Amino acid sequence: MTSFATIFRRRRFLGMTVPEVTVAAAVASILALGLVTGAIFLQRAFQASIKYSRSQAMQIRLLDYIALDLRRATTASVSGATLTITLPDYYDAAGKPVDPTLSKGRVYYKSPTAAVTVRYFQQGGQVIRQEGTTQSVIADGVQDFQLTFVNQGQVVEVSVSFMPTFEQSGTGVRTGTTVYTRTLLRNLLQSS
């Protein structure tokens, strides 16, 4: 007869039994699956937060450009999703600033009829500012942006919204990302 101590010593040298290996493998597989799933989720969440932050930065840059031009505008018109404004020509042919002149109680640069036309519109995944025939990309990679321009006479309202990465549809989600600006056309009274 073998004693318990002898059986225990033999078992120690023999290793693990098949059921023990199966249970250990199952536990290790579940832990590995949890780690991989967690890593994938964290990576997706990180990429979505980067895109969200980038879209917000594009919104602010776009609204800053538009508001700057609207504050200087003498006229503004909206046609669909295109904003067209007229600015005084502040620079001469050499690109140097022009000193303003006072005529009939109004400030003019160059002559009262000298003006520059600027258009803002979305084309593909870009928002473009076109001054004369020169186009500049203000925001890039903004396929999901919605631009809205509303001309209210003396005030122009601009809104920009985008769809967050993890959302497929729904206007409630889009309105949560909408940024507005209302800009007074200060020079509109001067042009009339």
Side-chain angles (χ1 to χ4, degrees):
M1 283 199 143
T2 58
S3 71
F4 179 72
T6 308
I7 294 173
F8 182 71
R9 272 187 244 130
R10 277 191 202 155
R11 181 176 166 100
R12 188 174 53 160
F13 293 114
L14 294 176
M16 296 174 55
T17 64
V18 171
E20 291 173 335
V21 169
T22 305
V23 169
V27 169
S29 296
I30 290 171
L31 289 174
L33 180 66
L35 285 173
V36 168
T37 303
I40 290 171
F41 176 75
L42 285 174
Q43 184 65 24
R44 288 186 65 202
F46 178 69
Q47 293 300 326
S49 67
I50 286 174
K51 184 176 185 277
Y52 192 90
S53 297
R54 184 178 179 276
S55 294
Q56 282 184 325
M58 293 288 181
Q59 278 181 316
I60 300 303
R61 178 183 16 238
L62 184 59
L63 290 176
D64 283 347
Y65 266 92
I66 293 171
L68 174 68
D69 283 343
L70 283 172
R71 282 191 295 272
R72 301 181 304 159
T74 55
T75 65
S77 65
V78 175
S79 175
T82 301
L83 173 66
T84 305
I85 58 179
T86 306
L87 303 173
D89 195 358
Y90 295 109
Y91 300 98
D92 62 14
K96 295 188 179 179
V98 176
D99 290 329
T101 58
L102 187 62
S103 173
K104 298 180 185 175
R106 295 186 182 143
V107 176
Y108 296 104
Y109 292 84
K110 287 190 181 178
S111 72
T113 58
V116 175
T117 302
V118 176
R119 293 178 54 228
Y120 286 94
F121 57 94
Q122 187 171 2
Q123 185 176 31
Q126 300 176 326
V127 177
I128 296 174
R129 178 185 188 269
Q130 180 178 350
E131 183 175 333
T133 58
T134 305
Q135 292 187 352
S136 303
V137 176
I138 304 302
D140 194 15
V142 291
Q143 292 83 352
D144 59 347
F145 269 35
Q146 281 185 348
L147 293 172
T148 307
F149 304 109
V150 179
N151 188 350
Q152 299 172 341
Q154 187 74 25
V155 173
V156 173
E157 182 176 285
V158 180
S159 67
V160 182
S161 66
F162 64 92
M163 185 65 71
T165 301
F166 285 121
E167 300 297 332
Q168 300 300 322
S169 62
T171 57
V173 173
R174 185 175 285 280
T175 56
T177 64
T178 303
V179 178
Y180 298 92
T181 184
R182 293 174 49 102
T183 307
L184 175 67
L185 302 176
R186 305 185 290 209
N187 294 331
L188 187 63
L189 294 175
Q190 291 184 6
S191 63
S192 54

